[in-house]
């Protein structure tokens, strides 16, 4: 098993992207990751960045959020279920547990006869560093 995941062929480009993701301090768009790779001297095409990010997302090795404009951003996160508080200005993200949300989701699903329910919750705001 590589850092990309079981069954995926490890390539120089994929390993470079995983390294950049591991060093990032928040969610980053594919464009931002492409720039970070170039700054490190890694020659990885933007199409390859998008393909690798999709591979990582499909393997649940990165979290994907869609910002207010709809653009996807990516981050390596813990594998347990969690939610995010995301700074609109700098992209810093904090993982948050929300047992009340889990209870509410289960109750709403049961009320309407749904099973096998999943959900994502992203809360956008301004972090203390950016607002102060």
């Amino acid at each position: 098993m590589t850092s990309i995941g079981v069954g995926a062929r490890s390539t120089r480009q994929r390993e470079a992207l995983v390294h950049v993701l591991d060093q990032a301090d928040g969610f980053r768009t594919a464009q931002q990751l492409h720039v970070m790779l170039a700054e490190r001297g890694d020659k990885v095409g933007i199409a390859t960045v998008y393909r690798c990010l999709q591979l990582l997302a499909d393997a649940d090795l990165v979290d994907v959020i869609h910002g207010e404009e709809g653009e996807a951003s990516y981050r390596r996160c813990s594998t347990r279920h969690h939610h995010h508080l995301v700074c609109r200005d700098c992209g810093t993200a904090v993982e948050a547990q929300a047992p009340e949300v889990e209870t509410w989701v289960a109750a709403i699903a049961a009320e309407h006869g749904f099973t096998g329910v999943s959900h994502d919750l992203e809360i956008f705001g301004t972090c203390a560093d950016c607002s102060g």
Side-chain angles (χ1 to χ4, degrees):
M1 179 171 157
T2 70
S3 57
I4 302 299
V6 177
R9 183 173 52 94
S10 179
T11 66
R12 176 190 59 79
Q13 294 92 341
R14 290 177 186 162
E15 293 298 331
L17 179 59
V18 167
H19 180 76
V20 167
L21 282 163
D22 286 342
Q23 300 304 310
D25 59 354
F27 282 90
R28 298 289 179 250
T29 66
Q31 295 286 338
Q32 290 169 325
L33 292 166
H34 184 250
V35 168
M36 292 169 73
L37 286 163
E39 288 171 348
R40 282 178 27 122
D42 290 310
K43 294 182 181 181
V44 181
I46 189 67
T48 300
V49 171
Y50 278 105
R51 280 193 304 273
C52 289
L53 288 169
Q54 186 61 55
L55 177 72
L56 292 168
D58 291 346
D60 290 327
L61 295 173
V62 294
D63 278 349
V64 182
I65 63 169
H66 293 85
E68 294 171 341
E69 301 295 320
E71 185 173 18
S73 295
Y74 305 85
R75 177 179 168 210
R76 296 266 283 189
C77 287
S78 65
T79 56
R80 72 187 192 295
H81 179 72
H82 60 277
H83 305 286
H84 297 106
L85 296 164
V86 183
C87 180
R88 283 187 193 101
D89 296 332
C90 69
T92 294
V94 176
E95 292 183 15
Q97 299 298 314
E100 319 70 40
V101 171
E102 307 309 323
T103 302
W104 178 79
V105 168
I108 293 296
E111 178 182 331
H112 296 282
F114 278 67
T115 60
V117 174
S118 65
H119 66 277
D120 295 310
L121 175 64
E122 316 307 336
I123 303 168
F124 294 89
T126 305
C127 72
D129 289 340
C130 290
S131 63

